[in-house]
Amino acid sequence: LILIGDPEQLPAIEHPGAFPALVDRLGAVELAEVRRLRDPVERAAVELVRSGRGSAALAAYSERGVLTLADTAADLEAIVVGARHAAQCAGEDAIMLARTRARTARLNELAQAIRLSEGEPGETSIEVGEGRIHEGDHVVTRVNRGGYSPVHNRERWVVDSIDVEARTMTLRHLAESDRVVTLDADYLDRDPADAVGSVELGYAITKYGAQGMTVDRAFVVLGDGLSKEEAYTALTRAREGTELYAISREPIERAEIAPAEDERKVGADELGRDIERSEQRALAIDERLRGELERRSTAALVSELGELEAARDDPAHRRAEAICAARLDAEARLAEAHRGL
């Protein structure tokens, strides 16, 4: 059984913590070189997020001038949609990433509206689920389809053409321009449980939908309960650069009881602390071990730790480890010699 993944990215929904626990116990072959992000400063910043140092990471983004704080949700949405639209007009593959489906739905509506106002998508459109798709829109498919021209959940496409009478839609893949598929009425009329339709607008998607995605530029909306794993996933999607957006003012709960202020300022430090919260959970075996340790006195644990550290630092122990390593190396060279013979 070969498991592949990143224990610091989004965890499994039903069993969060299982993959990191196996990595801790069994070890893993690790990829150490970041290949997608081209900016070395961004590489360093996402490593800070990955290691749980979100405040330091957002300070780095803020110093680069790519962290924008808006006063209201409406201001934030207008700014991020405008920035993404400008990137698309410049020929870049750009995406907006948010935590909640409600936020992404609003961003998609605004992104489609700004393109329609400039006459970019075609006039031909079709209703799919609860939304309306136009020719030229960016969309994501939400239902898997096998066969000669497969379609996968959360793939990103641009709508090439729509046949309203036949109720078909032809899509061209955004990352693989030679991939063209035609979706018939049977596909378009499916009703997936976790989506508003089998095809949705794809200008903005959630962080879970962004796993495995590579784009030129990403526009990430912070807040809404964003976790460390979600932030790490969102901040590692773009080759050329990532811009961050957040709301700088937050309503104070129960302000009607103590009405000194009805909102408070939210800065980069607090946003950074928010993305230090992890979604990983301890497995039952870890909880059992923790319970066993809690039943022992602190003095006994300190004593045992001291003995272990002393044994590790003992000269005889170090010599034994060196001899063992030399033996393994000699056995490896002997095996290589046998293969040569």
Side-chain angles (χ1 to χ4, degrees):
L1 180 65
I2 300 175
L3 304 180
I4 301 174
D6 186 340
E8 301 303 328
Q9 287 200 32
L10 295 168
I13 295 175
E14 293 187 4
H15 301 286
F19 186 67
L22 290 172
V23 171
D24 289 341
R25 285 167 170 76
L26 305 177
V29 177
E30 295 187 9
L31 299 178
E33 181 184 359
V34 178
R35 300 179 64 88
R36 178 181 287 138
L37 279 66
R38 294 174 179 169
D39 186 345
V41 176
E42 281 203 25
R43 293 180 186 179
V46 298
E47 280 297 324
L48 290 173
V49 175
R50 188 178 194 275
S51 62
R53 299 168 61 191
S55 295
L58 283 199
Y61 281 108
S62 181
E63 290 173 2
R64 295 295 300 279
V66 294
L67 172 61
T68 300
L69 299 179
D71 285 339
T72 66
D75 290 341
L76 178 143
E77 291 167 352
I79 293 170
V80 68
V81 167
R84 195 220 68 89
H85 183 68
Q88 182 181 333
C89 291
E92 294 183 303
D93 181 13
I95 192 72
M96 295 178 286
L97 301 173
R99 183 174 191 268
T100 65
R101 288 188 56 78
R103 180 81 70 188
T104 57
R106 177 62 179 160
L107 293 173
N108 274 320
E109 290 175 3
L110 293 173
Q112 185 189 54
I114 194 173
R115 294 195 69 204
L116 287 172
S117 69
E118 297 184 2
E120 291 185 8
E123 294 182 0
T124 305
S125 65
I126 190 172
E127 285 191 8
V128 181
E130 300 176 14
R132 178 164 288 277
I133 308 294
H134 289 253
E135 287 182 348
D137 266 329
H138 289 193
V139 298
V140 291
T141 45
R142 295 305 315 276
V143 177
N144 291 323
R145 186 186 76 177
Y148 179 73
S149 56
V151 174
H152 303 295
N153 184 24
R154 299 188 189 279
E155 282 191 294
R156 301 171 61 234
W157 313 79
V158 60
V159 181
D160 265 3
S161 62
I162 294 173
D163 187 328
V164 178
E165 292 185 3
R167 191 163 174 75
T168 62
M169 181 185 298
T170 301
L171 309 179
R172 184 177 299 276
H173 201 277
L174 277 170
E176 308 166 36
S177 57
D178 58 338
R179 265 188 75 194
V180 178
V181 300
T182 298
L183 307 179
D184 57 15
D186 178 64
Y187 184 97
L188 296 178
D189 291 333
R190 295 184 191 181
D191 186 20
D194 63 337
V196 298
S198 59
V199 180
E200 296 180 328
L201 291 175
Y203 302 104
I205 60 176
T206 64
K207 274 78 171 185
Y208 268 91
Q211 290 188 101
M213 177 188 297
T214 299
V215 296
D216 294 328
R217 196 166 299 278
F219 302 87
V220 178
V221 177
L222 302 176
D224 296 330
L226 191 69
S227 68
K228 184 194 84 171
E229 290 81 12
E230 289 173 320
Y232 178 55
T233 300
L235 297 175
T236 52
R237 298 304 96 199
R239 287 181 290 253
E240 302 299 336
T242 301
E243 297 182 20
L244 285 64
Y245 301 83
I247 301 172
S248 64
R249 300 181 183 276
E250 181 178 270
I252 296 178
E253 294 182 3
R254 302 173 64 82
E256 73 280 3
I257 298 176
E261 294 181 355
D262 58 359
E263 62 181 14
R264 62 187 181 88
K265 288 280 282 183
V266 178
D269 288 345
E270 184 168 348
L271 291 168
R273 288 192 296 272
D274 288 343
I275 64 173
E276 292 174 359
R277 177 185 61 83
S278 174
E279 291 185 14
Q280 305 287 5
R281 298 289 183 270
L283 296 188
I285 190 172
D286 295 324
E287 293 293 345
R288 185 183 66 186
L289 177 60
R290 179 183 300 172
E292 293 173 355
L293 293 175
E294 286 177 348
R295 287 194 292 271
R296 301 176 62 182
S297 68
T298 301
L301 292 173
V302 170
S303 175
E304 183 173 342
L305 179 61
E307 292 175 2
L308 292 171
E309 291 180 342
R312 185 174 58 191
D313 294 335
D314 179 64
H317 180 72
R318 289 199 299 270
R319 283 196 301 273
E321 286 187 336
I323 292 170
C324 181
R327 176 185 173 185
L328 292 173
D329 182 60
E331 289 176 346
R333 285 188 279 111
L334 180 60
E336 183 66 28
H338 280 304
R339 285 193 292 272
L341 291 173

